[in-house]
Amino acid sequence: LATTTSVQESGLLDALLPGFTKSTGFSVRVVAVGSGAAIEMARRGDADVVIAHSPEAEEALVRDGIATRRTSFMENYFVIVGPKADPAGLANAGSPESAFARLVGSKAPFVSRADQSGTHVREQALVKAAGIDPKAPWPGRIETGSGMGPSLLVAGEKRAYILSDIATYLAFRDRIDLVVLSKPSPSLRNVYSILILDPTRFPHPIESEGAEALERHLL
């Protein structure tokens, strides 16, 4: 299973997979990476099944015939978290987009995963929606190239802002002393999907039976 770091680091798989193995007999080896890396693993046939939260990349995988189907089965939401003092004043922003505009303008420290994960893609989309070029230099931005959990730890150490999925934030909250500053918004909705690969696309075996059993278990 190639899946996002948020699915792993939130503790969700520890709750779900033992029951799956007990009921089906299939054991699961989890490779937790960013959604972008998980999608690339799928394109190479380096995974039997994928769980991701990067809809556009997932849909491209289906269009290209690598995945036979993409099924959304759970969701949470993104949050912008930061120090309680909130030097950039994000708690007073009317939307996530305006929060990012304030953040860039304030030059306050911000931790970016910078790894083409689903979280990083959403971060870039919010920055672009704020009228800012996401590829332009950004004073205060700290790039980790790491998963959600390690990036949250860096944000805690630096007393910086960060975009996180709510589940991983809650799992790390007591270790980082950062608070949620964003307000609910449709642009923060975070949908996870499971993708079943076409085994005929690869010269090596794909464990399709186990992949489809996991899909049924999760749905």
Side-chain angles (χ1 to χ4, degrees):
L1 167 63
T3 188
T4 69
T5 60
S6 58
V7 172
Q8 172 79 328
E9 291 166 353
S10 67
L12 180 63
L13 294 180
D14 292 335
L16 294 178
L17 293 184
F20 168 72
T21 297
K22 183 177 181 180
S23 64
T24 67
F26 286 106
S27 60
V28 182
R29 183 167 67 91
V30 177
V31 180
V33 291
S35 283
I39 295 294
E40 287 306 308
M41 286 181 65
R43 288 190 176 277
R44 297 191 302 267
D46 290 342
D48 299 305
V49 62
V50 175
I51 294 174
H53 65 144
S54 188
E56 291 184 5
E58 295 161 20
E59 290 165 2
L61 205 65
V62 175
R63 284 197 307 271
D64 294 344
I66 304 298
T68 58
R69 59 184 177 272
R70 165 186 177 262
T71 306
S72 298
F73 70 100
M74 66 178 181
E75 65 178 80
N76 62 13
Y77 52 95
F78 289 107
V79 287
I80 304 171
V81 302
K84 295 176 184 177
D86 189 19
L90 301 196
N92 298 320
S95 67
E97 295 81 1
S98 60
F100 269 95
R102 289 188 181 208
L103 188 55
V104 175
S106 72
K107 301 181 181 180
F110 175 82
V111 171
S112 171
R113 287 178 56 176
D115 62 352
Q116 291 306 308
S117 61
T119 304
H120 181 221
V121 170
R122 183 64 60 90
E123 171 201 311
Q124 291 181 308
L126 290 169
V127 170
K128 185 176 180 179
I132 300 162
D133 181 359
K135 296 181 180 180
W138 178 353
R141 182 168 60 192
I142 303 163
E143 298 184 347
T144 65
S146 299
M148 197 68 256
S151 296
L152 279 165
L153 292 175
V154 171
E157 292 171 2
K158 301 291 187 182
R159 312 311 302 150
Y161 296 92
I162 187 171
L163 180 71
S164 173
D165 67 284
I166 184 64
T168 310
Y169 164 71
L170 291 174
F172 280 76
R173 176 175 54 184
D174 293 342
R175 300 165 61 184
I176 59 176
D177 192 31
L178 300 176
V179 299
V180 174
L181 297 167
S182 55
K183 299 177 177 64
S185 168
S187 61
L188 293 178
R189 185 172 179 241
N190 184 27
V191 178
Y192 291 81
S193 300
I194 184 167
L195 294 106
I196 301 298
L197 307 186
D198 182 352
T200 68
R201 296 297 298 263
F202 309 103
H204 52 272
I206 295 291
E207 181 49 77
S208 297
E209 184 181 353
E212 292 182 358
L214 180 61
E215 180 189 49
R216 290 192 298 271
H217 185 78
L218 294 177
L219 299 183

